[in-house]
Structure formats: structure tokens, C-alpha cells
Amino acid sequence: MVGTEPTTATSPPAGMHTPVVMTAGGIVWRRRAGNVQVQLVHRPRYDDWSWPKGKLETGETFQGAAIREVSEETGKEIVLGRPLPGLQYLTPEGRVKRVHYWASRRARRGRDTAGLAARAPVGPVDREEVDTAEWLDAADAVSRLTRASDRGPLNALLAAEAEGALDTRALVIARHGRAVSRTSWHGAERDRPLTPLGHGQAAALVPVLAAYGVEHVISSRWERCATTIDPYVRAAGLRPSYSEYLTEAQHERSPSRVAATVGELLEETTESSVICTHRPVLPTVLDVLAQHAEGTVADGLPRQDPFLEPGEVLVAHVAETPSGPRVVATEKVGPQVW
């Protein structure tokens, strides 16, 4: 080989302070002639075959890094699906590298218009970094991969396919960003605004929602929710839906209206969506998700107040099954400001 990277996932010695390199990527998949195919890349520097991935840039989310790196290494945009097991290993320089992976599909013009519009442009493939990107049947990919540890995420992807839970859309539940405190606000509750930190959290949601290809936005009509979702609405060129049912006041009067709104998004919407609402509304939203989830997934949903922190989101990955839409995986994305 021209270069080397470790082939065994490992941890540094106990008590040792080791620099950590955060990276992200995707296992891009498609179906051809009844088979699942995945895309591998060849790196001439290491003369290896691996999944497209790379380091986070300053101020970048894991999701943003994943879609950027895959695009830079394959020349094509992707949309993130369900998360896959990550890897951790020591580099030859003695640093810990942690890799986050998602099952991913190629973005399609027309279907993923909003998510693509909200992304920063990505440059062409650097042929000194990646000289070949190749589609392989999954069985052939297993033998082509240079590192045995890279088979773990692929095995998880194939297990999801066997369960009918690989092809998913996202339903993102967002709690609005940090708002001015109730005690220091003297106007109407519905008009209570975001703080500067809250505005930063709203801006940081844009690359996250774009990575999951969010095409539909529904939000509480109150100011702090509408403002939280506004940066993505503008970047994606969307027309949002605002609902009184998702406000604190209406939820207190009729939680069933909230449940019906979430149920409609699960049952009737085929695009990835985001709901922005308030902390007191979240238990009802999460109950609906739990009713559409298998036991282990339902058990992993947030159960304790505050459920989500201000500016935090829960991504529910929804698969269409013979018994209807099912939440097959979830992940939290913490509030971020750069």
C-alpha cells in the first residue's frame, strides 16, 4: 500500500489524554435488479477502498460534514437517512478518530429541491484525494473494503434492509431556540422573542435540516417558534404552515389536536418534515411517535422534562411498512451555535 491507516477499532490507554478527530460520512445505497448496491471510494494516498468521509470543518455539524464530504468525494449530493454504527480507532499519529455514518441516498432534483437550495455549494472532486467512486453489490463490497472494521456499518445497513426499514424519511421535532425569559418579558406570551443565543441556534439548524432533505415545515404560530424555523424557510425557499394547535395555549385546551397534526404528518406525508413547537407540547408529540415505533425505539424516546433543550431537535426516521408508517430509528441533535 502507498499509505496506511489502522484497521482495528480501539481506544487509547486508560487515563491518556489523546486528541480526538471528529469525522462524518455516509454509506450511499441504491437498489439494482433486486440487490442493494453501495458506493465505495478509492483513495490513492492510502491505496484503499472505504466509505466516503472526512473531518468536520470549523463551525460544521456532523450532518453538514457528512453531506459535504460525500459530495466532495463522489461528485453527487446525498440526503441522510437513518444513522449507522460509527467507528473509533487510533491513527498512526496517535490520535483518536471517531467516524459518524448515515445510510444515505442520492439527492434527486424535484424531490429534494428545498434541502439542496439550503446547502452551501460544494466544489468538484479532488482526484488526488479520491480517484474512483464505484457502485458494488453489497456482497462484493464486503470483500473490496480494505479495513474489516468498515464492514460493521454495512452489516447494519443490510440488517435494516432485511427488516424493510432502510428506505426512510425524516420527521424532525424541534424545540424553539432560547427565548427571553417569561419574568423579563412584559408583552404578550405569544410575542416573546428569541435571545441572541436563540437566533444563533436557529441559524445552526439550517445545515441539519438541509442534510435530512426537509421539504415541509409546520410550526407553532408563536413568535419564538416562527423565528426559530425562519432561517431554514428562507434558505430553502419554502412556504411554511403555521398552526395554533402547536402553541402552548391551544395544546393545554386540546392535546388531541396536536396528536392529530403529528399523526397526519406520519400517515399522510411522504416528504421529510419538521415540526417546531414548545416544551409543554413535546410529551404529546413524543407519545404519537411512540405509538408508531417498535418497543426498543419507543423506549429510547425522551421521557423526562425538558425532553429537548432549547434549539435541540429529535430526528425520527420513518419507514413505510405493510402495517403503516413506523418510526424505526431516532437521534438527537443538540443545540449548536458557532
Side-chain angles (χ1 to χ4, degrees):
M1 290 187 178
V2 175
T4 61
E5 276 201 352
T7 59
T8 303
T10 185
S11 300
M16 180 180 177
H17 179 71
T18 306
V20 178
V21 179
M22 296 296 189
T23 64
I27 301 183
V28 191
W29 66 276
R30 68 184 186 185
R31 295 189 183 98
R32 288 294 185 273
N35 294 325
V36 170
Q37 293 185 333
V38 290
Q39 194 171 35
L40 273 64
V41 295
H42 180 261
R43 302 182 300 171
R45 177 184 176 189
Y46 299 104
D47 189 23
D48 70 354
W49 289 91
S50 62
W51 309 119
K53 64 180 184 300
K55 300 176 185 176
L56 273 67
E57 295 182 347
T58 302
E60 193 171 39
T61 63
F62 285 105
Q63 291 79 6
I67 61 171
R68 177 184 55 76
E69 285 289 343
V70 173
S71 179
E72 287 179 349
E73 296 192 356
T74 68
K76 300 293 183 181
E77 296 271 12
I78 63 163
V79 173
L80 300 186
R82 60 184 295 162
L84 297 172
L87 299 175
Q88 176 173 297
Y89 52 81
L90 288 174
T91 69
E93 299 80 18
R95 295 181 295 177
V96 173
K97 180 176 282 189
R98 292 179 185 159
V99 192
H100 295 249
Y101 284 118
W102 285 264
S104 308
R105 62 170 176 82
R106 284 275 183 85
R108 295 194 287 272
R109 298 288 170 183
R111 174 178 175 180
D112 302 306
T113 303
L116 293 176
R119 299 179 182 183
V122 177
V125 177
D126 182 349
R127 295 302 177 187
E128 292 186 1
E129 292 288 333
V130 171
D131 58 2
T132 305
E134 187 171 335
W135 287 101
L136 295 170
D137 286 348
D140 296 327
V142 169
S143 58
R144 182 74 67 89
L145 285 166
T146 300
R147 286 173 297 283
S149 59
D150 275 344
R151 297 171 188 166
L154 176 59
N155 291 338
L157 183 147
L158 294 176
E161 169 70 358
E163 295 168 0
L166 177 56
D167 195 358
T168 61
R169 57 184 165 90
L171 175 55
V172 183
I173 311 303
R175 181 181 172 188
H176 63 73
R178 180 72 63 184
V180 172
S181 69
R182 296 178 194 270
T183 55
S184 61
W185 177 248
H186 303 295
E189 178 63 17
R190 66 182 297 123
D191 297 328
R192 185 156 58 93
L194 297 182
T195 64
L197 173 62
H199 282 282
Q201 292 170 336
L205 280 179
V206 174
V208 175
L209 299 179
Y212 293 107
V214 167
E215 296 286 313
H216 182 65
V217 174
I218 182 168
S219 171
S220 160
R221 193 177 292 277
W222 286 8
E223 176 68 20
R224 51 193 181 273
C225 274
T227 305
T228 295
I229 214 66
D230 187 63
Y232 183 73
V233 166
R234 291 177 180 273
L238 289 173
R239 179 175 293 180
S241 298
Y242 295 106
S243 173
E244 286 290 344
Y245 298 143
L246 294 174
T247 65
E248 292 184 33
Q250 287 295 325
H251 173 261
E252 187 174 352
R253 295 187 186 99
S254 179
S256 63
R257 295 281 193 176
V258 174
T261 299
V262 180
E264 287 173 6
L265 283 175
L266 283 167
E267 299 282 351
E268 302 175 13
T269 303
T270 59
E271 301 171 324
S272 291
S273 308
V274 60
I275 295 174
C276 188
T277 190
H278 310 261
R279 179 188 57 79
V281 184
L282 290 174
T284 299
V285 175
L286 295 170
D287 281 346
V288 177
L289 294 183
Q291 292 167 18
H292 287 78
E294 301 297 333
T296 55
V297 176
D299 291 343
L301 291 169
R303 293 295 181 186
Q304 294 184 336
D305 195 11
F307 309 103
L308 295 173
E309 297 295 331
E312 188 174 33
V313 303
L314 176 78
V315 184
H317 297 276
V318 183
E320 298 299 330
T321 73
S323 58
R326 305 298 295 172
V327 178
V328 296
T330 63
E331 53 183 322
K332 272 188 178 183
V333 183
Q336 302 177 59
V337 179
W338 307 105

